[in-house]
Amino acid sequence: MTTLSADLWPDVQPETARRLMLAGVESFAERGYHATTTRDIAGAAGMSPAALYVHFPSKAALLFAISRNGHEQTLSLVEDVISRVTGPVERMRLLVEDFVAWHARRHTVARVVQYELNALPEKEYQVVAQLRRQIEQRVREVIAEGVESGVFTVSDVGIAARAVLSLGVDVARWYSERTRQTPAELGKEYGELVLRMLGAS
């Protein structure tokens, strides 16, 4: 587990549960959810397979904890920008900068959070889907505000919001420590790109 650190989930206790989440992320990212066994995860965490079940009743429960937490972090990120920045142009610029930088800086976690979503059981999937809808709704609101004030020109706010989010999410698919730009630099470039895409005046 060389690319991840415990500060991903500072509120997760006890520390053994956090270690299992880190091991789960690494294992799912390397092998994919379906090819990963509980033995793989426990071994990566330096524990016995039985230890995993003390904290998570199943492999699916571990994926759910990782996915829900990742989506809660990104929703909090989006809401933080909206609460502290005024004006749709600056809100969108900083929202995209932070969203893209998070997906680059946490690319291993983000790949699991975003691309293993369909492996979740239906009930858990719906919890995460609701968080995703909340994130998209916040972005839609910023775009709609810009359209209403005449600074954005888009024909469909919903499609524009999904496009903005898709750009950020996709960063997790290809970003690595070898990428020339830092997460912050990449976020700034994407912020400018998105403003042009939205026709910012």
Side-chain angles (χ1 to χ4, degrees):
M1 293 185 291
T2 57
T3 62
L4 298 175
S5 60
D7 67 348
L8 279 169
W9 302 294
D11 298 329
V12 174
Q13 295 294 333
E15 190 268 339
T16 50
R18 188 162 58 242
R19 281 170 56 198
L20 285 163
M21 288 176 70
L22 290 167
V25 165
E26 289 283 17
S27 299
F28 295 151
E30 181 182 344
R31 300 177 179 86
Y33 173 80
H34 292 293
T36 298
T37 66
T38 54
R39 186 173 293 278
D40 293 330
I41 297 164
M47 301 178 194
S48 69
L52 185 146
Y53 296 109
V54 173
H55 303 287
F56 301 98
S58 65
K59 184 175 72 165
L62 177 61
L63 176 64
F64 176 54
I66 293 165
S67 188
R68 180 182 59 190
N69 194 281
H71 282 88
E72 286 172 345
Q73 285 189 30
T74 51
L75 175 59
S76 177
L77 177 155
V78 168
E79 291 182 333
D80 177 64
V81 170
I82 292 172
S83 70
R84 63 185 168 86
V85 180
T86 58
V89 172
E90 278 310 299
R91 272 183 173 170
M92 183 56 63
R93 185 199 311 276
L94 291 177
L95 189 156
V96 171
E97 285 183 10
D98 288 358
F99 190 79
V100 167
W102 188 91
H103 281 79
R105 190 169 57 252
R106 306 297 199 198
H107 58 90
T108 306
V109 175
R111 275 201 307 278
V112 173
V113 166
Q114 298 290 353
Y115 295 110
E116 296 289 358
L117 192 64
N118 288 328
L120 289 170
E122 183 60 26
K123 182 180 176 182
E124 288 78 3
Y125 175 87
Q126 290 304 326
V127 172
V128 175
Q130 176 60 26
L131 289 167
R132 292 170 75 88
R133 285 191 290 271
Q134 288 177 259
I135 294 166
E136 184 177 324
Q137 181 59 34
R138 300 298 185 274
V139 175
R140 286 172 65 114
E141 288 166 1
V142 175
I143 296 173
E145 180 189 1
V147 171
E148 289 166 12
S149 61
V151 294
F152 293 156
T153 53
V154 298
S155 58
D156 189 306
V157 169
I159 290 174
R162 285 190 289 275
V164 168
L165 290 170
S166 294
L167 284 170
V169 166
D170 191 60
V171 167
R173 181 181 56 80
W174 59 263
Y175 192 88
S176 77
E177 282 70 24
R178 296 183 179 183
T179 303
R180 179 173 56 84
Q181 297 98 335
T182 66
E185 290 168 346
L186 194 67
K188 288 186 180 300
E189 290 187 26
Y190 270 60
E192 293 298 326
L193 284 170
V194 165
L195 289 180
R196 290 199 292 272
M197 183 181 80
L198 296 176
S201 57

